[in-house]
Amino acid sequence: MPSSVMPTSVKSDGHTSSDAISAVGLRKSYGDKTVLDGIDLQIPAGSVFALLGPNGAGKTTAVKILSTLVTADGGQAHVAGHDIAAAPDGVRAAIGVTGQFSAVDGLITGEENMLLMADLHHLSKQEGRRVAAELLERFDLVEAAKKPASSYSGGMKRRLDIAMTLVGDPRIIFLDEPTTGLDPRSRHNMWGIIRGLVSRGVTVFLTTQYLEEADELADRIAVLNDGKIVAEGTAEELKRLIPGGHVRIRFTDPAAYKAAASALRDVTTDEEALALHIPSDGSQRELRSILDWLDSEGIEADELTVHTPDLDDVFFALTGPANVVSQTKETVR
């Protein structure tokens, strides 16, 4: 077997050895409010998974269950190969969690925050100092290391927060809305940090309300609404679920434009720009069909562009009151 191929075994509960996180039928209620209503997850190791949803959708509850902070009412889950109910200590040893609110102690310095975390991980004094120094340098916090953390900017506190999470060298990191409240520059810096973690083989479970963030970072995205995962796929796959995609064909030759406009059905015309808009999901098959038709008719277009809905459209369609897509879970494979 080539070294690049990871052997995969499937257990009776659907968990495979190549999954960093898997869950089947996770349920959680608080009183008469159902927060998670039987969600399934399958997240490969070394990937970024983004869980999207409006406030109150259950994103943080999912993180708390998978990180063993609260117990599920039903269902099964494995994290880093450990059953969250039967082997919570194994899960905790393999993960790091950065919550919505910073765990940084503002009364002590950045370095002292790091050393405190090293003590909590039972590292020796020498090892703790080595790890703290390495992470402070990696997250560009060396100059601020001796200053009280209360003097740090929001972006610096968030970087310190993640650096503290990495003291235990986790294989899986849960980032619960890690860039909330950050300015655009700090948010982009945080994206670079997350990409760097994944390049080192870390699996990242990300919750966010910034759709651009999920689009930029995630290998796979799930949309959570009313306790259920209503759609799952890559960003591009999710965008194709929503009506409104089209192919724009532009001409410089008015005769070619008129020939195409008269021959094609269900097109929107733009006479001023000599452009046609053809409804399309942007798939390779549809594009090939359009190009083949143009060739067969001897019509030459000067520009062809594909326009698909963005994740904002997906989010509002799946979580709004008048859903465009059925609330039955859509999984795109």
Side-chain angles (χ1 to χ4, degrees), residues 12-189:
S12 58
D13 59 5
H15 169 70
T16 69
S17 60
S18 63
D19 293 333
I21 300 169
S22 64
V24 178
L26 278 189
R27 297 180 180 275
K28 184 67 180 179
S29 297
Y30 293 101
D32 59 357
K33 179 174 175 54
T34 299
V35 181
L36 295 179
D37 192 12
I39 69 169
D40 300 339
L41 299 169
Q42 194 167 6
I43 304 170
S47 65
V48 180
F49 176 84
L51 188 61
L52 302 182
N55 286 331
K59 303 186 300 296
T60 297
T61 298
V63 168
K64 287 182 175 180
I65 289 174
L66 294 171
S67 59
T68 74
L69 294 175
V70 300
T71 57
D73 296 335
Q76 292 181 308
H78 288 79
V79 176
H82 303 284
D83 186 296
I84 61 171
D89 289 343
V91 173
R92 292 167 193 153
I95 68 171
V97 182
T98 299
Q100 290 182 33
F101 304 103
S102 174
V104 171
D105 186 339
L107 298 178
I108 59 178
T109 68
E111 183 181 50
E112 288 168 341
N113 270 282
M114 296 293 294
L115 294 175
L116 176 60
M117 190 60 64
D119 287 342
L120 292 174
H121 281 279
H122 306 293
L123 300 183
S124 68
K125 188 172 183 179
Q126 181 179 1
E127 180 68 4
R129 288 193 173 279
R130 184 193 68 78
V131 170
E134 179 185 297
L135 288 169
L136 286 168
E137 182 175 0
R138 181 171 153 196
F139 285 87
D140 195 21
L141 292 168
V142 173
E143 289 186 11
K146 303 291 186 181
K147 298 177 182 178
S150 58
S151 68
Y152 288 14
S153 68
M156 290 170 67
K157 284 181 181 177
R158 217 53 174 137
R159 295 205 308 274
L160 179 59
D161 212 3
I162 294 183
M164 291 165 60
T165 301
L166 294 179
V167 167
D169 195 23
R171 288 180 285 156
I172 299 167
I173 296 180
F174 294 92
L175 299 178
D176 194 8
E177 301 192 16
T179 62
T180 296
L182 297 186
D183 60 76
R185 183 181 298 277
S186 296
R187 184 172 300 133
H188 278 266
N189 289 341

Side-chain angles (χ1 to χ4, degrees), residues 32 35 37 54 67 88 114 154 159 180 218-219 224 228 261 267 282 284 305 319 324:
D32 59 357
V35 181
D37 192 12
S67 59
M114 296 293 294
R159 295 205 308 274
T180 296
D219 298 297
L224 187 63
K228 296 179 181 292
V267 297
Q284 182 178 341
T305 53
T319 64
V324 175

Side-chain angles (χ1 to χ4, degrees), residues 139-303:
F139 285 87
D140 195 21
L141 292 168
V142 173
E143 289 186 11
K146 303 291 186 181
K147 298 177 182 178
S150 58
S151 68
Y152 288 14
S153 68
M156 290 170 67
K157 284 181 181 177
R158 217 53 174 137
R159 295 205 308 274
L160 179 59
D161 212 3
I162 294 183
M164 291 165 60
T165 301
L166 294 179
V167 167
D169 195 23
R171 288 180 285 156
I172 299 167
I173 296 180
F174 294 92
L175 299 178
D176 194 8
E177 301 192 16
T179 62
T180 296
L182 297 186
D183 60 76
R185 183 181 298 277
S186 296
R187 184 172 300 133
H188 278 266
N189 289 341
M190 188 60 62
W191 293 354
I193 288 170
I194 293 170
R195 292 188 184 103
L197 292 173
V198 177
S199 72
R200 293 168 179 252
V202 175
T203 304
V204 175
F205 185 110
L206 172 73
T207 74
T208 181
Q209 293 188 55
Y210 295 113
L211 304 179
E212 181 190 7
E213 187 161 271
D215 206 350
E216 284 281 338
L217 295 174
D219 298 297
R220 202 161 181 84
I221 299 168
V223 181
L224 187 63
N225 192 48
D226 291 334
K228 296 179 181 292
I229 292 179
V230 294
E232 183 180 352
T234 67
E236 293 307 313
E237 288 168 342
L238 291 180
K239 292 170 189 176
R240 288 201 292 267
L241 291 174
I242 307 304
H246 64 272
V247 173
R248 182 177 185 266
I249 306 176
R250 189 181 64 81
F251 303 84
T252 55
D253 180 1
Y257 164 75
K258 289 180 180 178
S262 62
L264 288 170
R265 297 178 180 178
D266 300 323
V267 297
T268 302
T269 59
D270 182 346
E271 294 190 3
E272 183 176 348
L274 296 181
L276 303 175
H277 291 183
I278 305 171
S280 170
D281 63 4
S283 67
Q284 182 178 341
R285 182 170 59 183
E286 283 203 2
L287 291 177
R288 184 182 293 115
S289 175
I290 293 170
L291 292 171
D292 287 347
W293 178 85
L294 289 170
D295 287 341
S296 68
E297 296 294 320
I299 298 173
E300 185 171 342
D302 293 275
E303 184 181 281

Side-chain angles (χ1 to χ4, degrees), residues 231 235-247 278-282 286 306-319 322-327 330:
E236 293 307 313
E237 288 168 342
L238 291 180
K239 292 170 189 176
R240 288 201 292 267
L241 291 174
I242 307 304
H246 64 272
V247 173
I278 305 171
S280 170
D281 63 4
E286 283 203 2
V306 179
H307 297 259
T308 58
D310 60 22
L311 279 184
D312 284 25
D313 299 318
V314 175
F315 185 85
F316 290 124
L318 292 171
T319 64
N323 295 343
V324 175
V325 178
S326 167
Q327 290 299 289
E330 291 268 5

